[in-house]
Amino acid sequence: MRIIVILLALIVAAPAAAQDVVLLRPARMFDGVEPRLHEGWSVLVRGRTIEAVGPNLTVPEGARVIDLPGLTLMPGMIEGHAHLFLHPYNETSWDDQVLHEPLALRTARATVAARDTLMAGFTTVRDLGTEGAGYADVGLKQAIDQGIVPGPRILTSTRAIVATGAYGPKGFEPGVAVPLGAEEADGPDLLRVVRSQIGAGADVVKLYADYRWGPGEPSRPTFTQPELTEAIAAAHSAGREVAVHAGTAEGMRRAILAGADTIEHGDAGTPEIFRLMRDRDVAFCPTLAATDAITRYRGWDGQEPAPAGVLAKRRAFAEALESGVTICMGGDVGVYPHGDNAREMELMVAGGMPAAEVVRAATSGNARIFGVDDRLGAIRPGLLADLVAVEGDPTRDIASVRAVRLVMKDGVIVRDDAAPAR
């Protein structure tokens, strides 16, 4: 009995397990905020967080030192518009994914999409709707957080919300219940659905301000101004941000006036609309890559002159930049392959945004827009140790973000193609 008591006392008195300490020594560092690189700076990570940043850091006793010669260290990137439960439409159409692919199949594929995203250096994802997969994004988020499967941290929006009759799949006998890619709600019931999705795990509320009412029709506004205003107020009261799908000028205007945090797509945005976004601090997620991908699936070979849809995207993006709108980096990935998230960044540069501004948008910019800049998006003491090492200088050549050699998430190295540690 006396031995047991002594052993218990030793266990209670024993110090907590020492946290892992890692010193990363790249050739240069992009801190996520300043456009200039810091040559010869190092980053000290203790446990999950960044402890120190700067030149000539002292190596703590017992620390693991990882030399990254020739590489640029930068914050883990943040994907602003993803659908982890979709896969490219040239593999399977959106309708067939929603209607015919079993939930278990879609979830299994989503775990692979999550891993591919993380390995590409995107350590956080704002997933804007499961497109018919219900609340499976909440379960995937839990599986990643519990270490069951690898993947980025997920900001979930669950089912997304549409006006009755304004979403798909369509083309079936009227009155026949067909699985939809989002949840329908109107009027007073809209508040209930906003709250029910939040209660079920939504970190972000996704609303559709406009959509096509019928095949072959152009997009038109769906929710009224009062509906959007009340729904967004309910989400904000619950501490949730609101992303609004809006492609028409009127849908954008209603969403902006209602208090949306981000506008997704914005194909028909005008200079007046973008100025209104700037004045009300509403960020713009242009999703250039989705239109580029879909147009290529339909036969475009990438040569100029580009089709009308691509030109409209380019025009809207240029006008948003000219108006000074805050740009969210998000490409609607899932329409094209997960792990190819850099495609949007390359198109943003091609559209006139300097590479340094694009990488800042994908790091500290998105972190601020999504309200997580107290934890993510930059390399500074106290933030989570989400770090990526790439070849080249991404502030000058955006293609460098594809040359990922090391990925750290929460202080744990999940990909290491760099030189061995010592």
Side-chain angles (χ1 to χ4, degrees), residues 269-276 315 319 323:
T270 64
E272 177 188 10
I273 290 293
F274 288 123
R275 285 193 294 270
L276 185 63
R315 176 200 55 76
E319 289 179 350
S323 299

Side-chain angles (χ1 to χ4, degrees), residues 47-347:
R48 299 179 63 206
T49 61
I50 298 168
E51 182 173 283
V53 180
N56 305 315
L57 294 183
T58 301
V59 182
E61 184 178 354
R64 178 187 180 195
V65 178
I66 300 179
D67 289 314
L68 301 168
L71 301 185
T72 299
L73 193 68
M74 60 185 290
M77 290 176 282
I78 302 172
E79 170 61 58
H81 189 133
H83 295 281
L84 290 168
F85 286 82
L86 291 178
H87 60 104
Y89 296 173
N90 63 335
E91 297 175 357
T92 306
S93 71
W94 182 86
D95 276 19
D96 282 346
Q97 291 184 49
V98 175
L99 291 172
H100 299 301
E101 291 187 345
L103 180 58
L105 172 63
R106 297 187 68 186
T107 302
R109 182 179 279 117
T111 65
V112 177
R115 181 189 180 280
D116 290 345
T117 301
L118 180 62
M119 294 303 111
F122 289 80
T123 56
T124 301
V125 164
R126 187 176 65 151
D127 193 85
L128 290 184
T130 61
E131 304 293 333
Y135 293 97
D137 57 342
V138 177
L140 177 59
K141 174 182 177 176
Q142 292 171 344
I144 292 170
D145 290 348
Q146 294 175 30
I148 299 169
V149 295
R153 63 179 51 76
I154 303 176
L155 301 174
T156 58
S157 66
T158 69
R159 302 175 66 186
I161 304 170
V162 294
T164 298
Y167 207 52
K170 286 193 171 186
F172 300 88
E173 174 66 23
V176 174
V178 175
L180 295 178
E183 185 173 7
E184 293 182 325
D186 310 285
D189 192 48
L190 184 55
L191 299 184
R192 180 192 63 80
V193 169
V194 167
R195 291 166 178 152
S196 69
Q197 290 194 6
I198 292 171
D203 300 311
V204 182
V205 171
K206 167 83 175 288
L207 297 165
Y208 280 72
D210 50 31
Y211 209 72
R212 299 178 296 276
W213 286 100
E217 290 190 26
S219 288
R220 291 187 172 90
T222 51
F223 290 122
T224 64
Q225 184 74 66
E227 285 178 315
L228 284 172
T229 299
E230 291 185 6
I232 292 173
H236 285 169
S237 293
R240 301 308 195 270
E241 291 196 349
V242 180
V244 180
H245 168 115
T248 66
E250 178 59 18
M252 294 174 71
R253 186 187 69 82
R254 292 182 189 182
I256 296 161
L257 295 177
D261 297 290
T262 66
I263 300 293
E264 315 299 310
H265 312 303
D267 298 24
T270 64
E272 177 188 10
I273 290 293
F274 288 123
R275 285 193 294 270
L276 185 63
M277 290 180 68
R278 176 200 63 201
D279 293 345
R280 292 183 176 244
D281 196 24
V282 179
F284 178 46
C285 198
T287 64
L288 301 167
T291 297
D292 180 81
I294 290 171
T295 307
R296 290 174 187 270
Y297 299 157
R298 293 171 178 169
W300 180 43
D301 61 2
Q303 299 298 309
E304 302 296 335
V310 173
L311 293 176
K313 276 287 191 187
R314 293 175 181 173
R315 176 200 55 76
F317 184 58
E319 289 179 350
L321 291 176
E322 179 68 23
S323 299
V325 175
T326 299
I327 302 296
C328 163
M329 199 301 290
D332 213 350
V333 60
V335 174
Y336 55 98
H338 297 282
D340 192 22
N341 307 69
R343 183 173 184 169
E344 178 75 6
M345 299 173 74
E346 292 168 338
L347 288 171

